[in-house]
Every structure is written in C-alpha cells, then in structure tokens.
Amino acid sequence: MGEDEEDIHLLHRVARRDEEALLALYRRYAPRVHGLARRVLRDGHEAKDVVQETFLRIWNKAERFDPALGRPATWILTIAHRLALKRLKALEPLALLEEDGAEERLGGDEHLDRLRVAQALKALSPEERKLLELAYFQGYSHSELALLLGLPLGTVKSRLRRALAKLEGKLK
C-alpha cells in the first residue's frame, strides 16, 4: 500500500473516531505542519498551537476529506496553512501596537532595525510590497503566489528578486 493509500485509510479511520489512526497521522505530518506554521508565523510557540489546531480540525472534519479532490498530504497542509494565516491575521493588531511605540521597551538596536525595514518597505511600490509581504510575512511559496496572483512562476520569481534588490538598496 502506497503512502497516499495508507493516509486515505487512516483518514477514514479517523472519521470513525479511531485515535490510533489520528496518532499515526500526527507522527507522520506534525513535523511538516510545524515547519509550515513556523515559516508563516516566525514563532515556535504559535507554530505548536497551529499543529494542535490542525490535528483537532482533522479529528473533527476527517469525514470531509475526498480523495478524488486531492492527496491527503495536500489536504492536511492546506488546513495547517489556512490556520497559520488566520493566526497571523489575529496577531497583526499586536504588531500594529508595537509599531505605535510599545516596542520601544525592546532593545534599541532591534527597534531601529524594525524602523529601518518599515521605512524601506514604504519606499517600494504597492505591488512590490504586497509580493514581499505575501512571500516573507505570510509564508506563501513562489508557486502559491503564482496561482494566487494569476502570474507565471518565472514572473513571480523575477519580481520578488527585483523587490528584494530594491529593499536591500534602501537598507544600505
């Protein structure tokens, strides 16, 4: 039995409330889910919460998985990605508070670095800023950005490279 078939079987068992099947999926996918969430959130504690939420969602929604629509790994990682983005949006008001001065309690160099990056980002075009934010702050891959924005993959990569070069130039 291949990995996909095994995962489909495990998801069917989870839908029937088989805890051992959920544990098997957890062992297989938790490291990948954690890595994805950590890239999106840039915070290990938040990423661990996303791992727990992802497997709770799998436990509660396993009967909705349809193998005709995609692979189990894709379904699981999509759940994790959406939960990480949702958590990131929930955390954004905290980041805005920090930008308004609360972060001054942090070390001086870190505060200055954040201010420099914020100023450099403002100097980019709205399209460049959006692309960088989606890629580096929200964790979208190049191929996900291409699908999301309806652009060829090569275009996304070259625009990201140009935006990064501009940002680097502004920071120097």
Side-chain angles (χ1 to χ4, degrees), residues 69-82:
L69 298 176
R71 298 178 58 223
T74 305
W75 186 71
I76 291 168
L77 294 173
T78 299
I79 290 170
H81 191 247
R82 288 182 179 156

Side-chain angles (χ1 to χ4, degrees), residues 81 87 90 150 164 166 168:
H81 191 247
R87 185 169 284 267
L164 283 172
K166 270 187 175 178
E168 184 180 16

